[in-house]
């Protein structure tokens, strides 16, 4: 599985990135979940050669389209260690924080990892999220900053970001974290509600 993300010593990694996790800015497909049709295999091979060293999967849909200029060019997040309050469920661990003031209804970052079919996904992973029907995104060993967002329970009265599936302008299905009705001030921890998106039976 190695060799298709950024190495742990890469200078472009976010601060506090764990050495045991491979960083990737694009979705990676597990080999067991790639299409078996000869024609589709050729298509995916072509995509891989054009986007090397990453394997990308694109799809069309009618979900909300978000401009690609909003994704990736604005860095709204930073990874930080949680030291206060001591009652925080993830005290002493890391969370995702606002690197700058985030406007309402804004794509904060995507949740990216390795895509598995439901039956092939690692059952013990604590970082599984629904990507599409029959497909799960696992951020346990290969991921981006999105893996650090904590659940709001025990942290705040309500979540300040929500997961939403959308289609980018280049036609790729993505799962993003979006701010809600209120702006998020710089330094605020970003929290969400995993709920049904985390439920493997969804």
């Amino acid at each position: 599985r190695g060799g298709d993300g950024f190495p742990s010593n890469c200078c472009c990694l976010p601060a506090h990135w764990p050495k045991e996790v491979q960083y990737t800015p694009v979705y990676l497909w597990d080999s067991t979940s790639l299409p078996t049709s000869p024609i589709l295999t050729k298509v995916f091979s072509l995509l891989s050669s054009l986007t090397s060293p990453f394997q990308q999967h694109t799809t069309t849909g009618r979900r909300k389209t978000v401009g690609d200029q909003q994704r990736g060019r604005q860095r709204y997040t930073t990874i930080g260690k949680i030291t206060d309050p001591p009652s925080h469920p993830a005290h002493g661990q890391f969370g995702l924080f606002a690197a700058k003031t985030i406007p309402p209804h804004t794509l904060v970052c995507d949740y990216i990892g390795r895509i598995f079919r439901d039956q092939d996904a690692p059952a013990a992973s604590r970082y599984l999220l629904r990507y599409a029907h029959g497909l799960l995104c696992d951020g346990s060993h290969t991921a981006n900053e999105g893996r650090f967002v904590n659940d709001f329970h025990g942290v705040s009265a309500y979540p300040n970001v929500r997961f939403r599936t959308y289609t980018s302008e280049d036609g790729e299905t993505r799962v993003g974290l979006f701010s809600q009705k209120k702006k998020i001030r710089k330094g605020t921890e970003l929290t969400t509600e995993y709920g049904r998106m985390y439920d493997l039976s969804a």
Side-chain angles (χ1 to χ4, degrees):
R1 293 186 180 183
D4 47 8
F6 292 155
S8 60
N9 61 350
C10 179
C11 62
C12 52
L13 292 177
H16 305 298
W17 190 258
K19 294 181 179 180
E20 68 275 11
V21 180
Q22 192 174 48
Y23 183 83
T24 177
V26 298
Y27 291 102
L28 304 176
W29 279 67
D30 184 73
S31 59
T32 60
S33 301
L34 289 173
T36 55
S37 164
I39 295 178
L40 289 178
T41 300
K42 288 183 179 180
V43 172
F44 274 79
S45 296
L46 177 60
L47 284 174
S48 297
S49 65
L50 292 175
T51 59
S52 180
F54 303 108
Q55 289 180 324
Q56 296 192 33
H57 170 74
T58 60
T59 183
T60 57
R62 295 185 178 180
R63 294 189 176 91
K64 180 178 178 63
T65 296
V66 177
D68 287 337
Q69 69 277 8
Q70 188 179 10
R71 169 170 56 85
R73 296 186 184 179
Q74 292 276 1
R75 186 169 290 277
Y76 283 116
T77 63
T78 184
I79 301 168
K81 191 170 185 178
I82 299 169
T83 58
D84 189 64
S87 60
H88 194 297
H91 182 262
Q93 302 176 48
F94 289 90
L96 199 62
F97 295 82
K100 60 176 72 174
T101 297
I102 303 173
H105 306 295
T106 298
L107 173 60
V108 179
C109 74
D110 288 326
Y111 190 96
I112 293 178
R114 189 174 294 275
I115 305 299
F116 291 87
R117 293 180 298 179
D118 283 8
Q119 62 268 34
D120 298 323
S125 174
R126 297 172 56 244
Y127 295 92
L128 286 174
L129 197 71
R130 177 65 62 197
Y131 174 75
H133 179 69
L135 297 171
L136 293 166
C137 179
D138 178 34
S140 57
H141 300 294
T142 306
N144 74 333
E145 296 91 333
R147 83 188 294 274
F148 285 93
V149 65
N150 288 314
D151 190 271
F152 82 99
H153 290 95
V155 181
S156 56
Y158 54 86
N160 52 21
V161 292
R162 293 274 190 183
F163 287 112
R164 187 197 306 169
T165 300
Y166 71 96
T167 302
S168 66
E169 288 182 347
D170 59 7
E172 184 178 21
T173 296
R174 306 182 74 87
V175 178
L177 280 166
F178 289 79
S179 58
Q180 301 195 78
K181 296 180 180 180
K182 297 181 179 180
K183 68 179 181 181
I184 304 173
R185 298 186 182 279
K186 178 180 179 180
T188 303
E189 183 182 2
L190 304 177
T191 60
T192 190
E193 182 175 16
Y194 283 96
R196 188 171 58 85
M197 293 291 289
Y198 190 74
D199 185 358
L200 303 189
S201 63

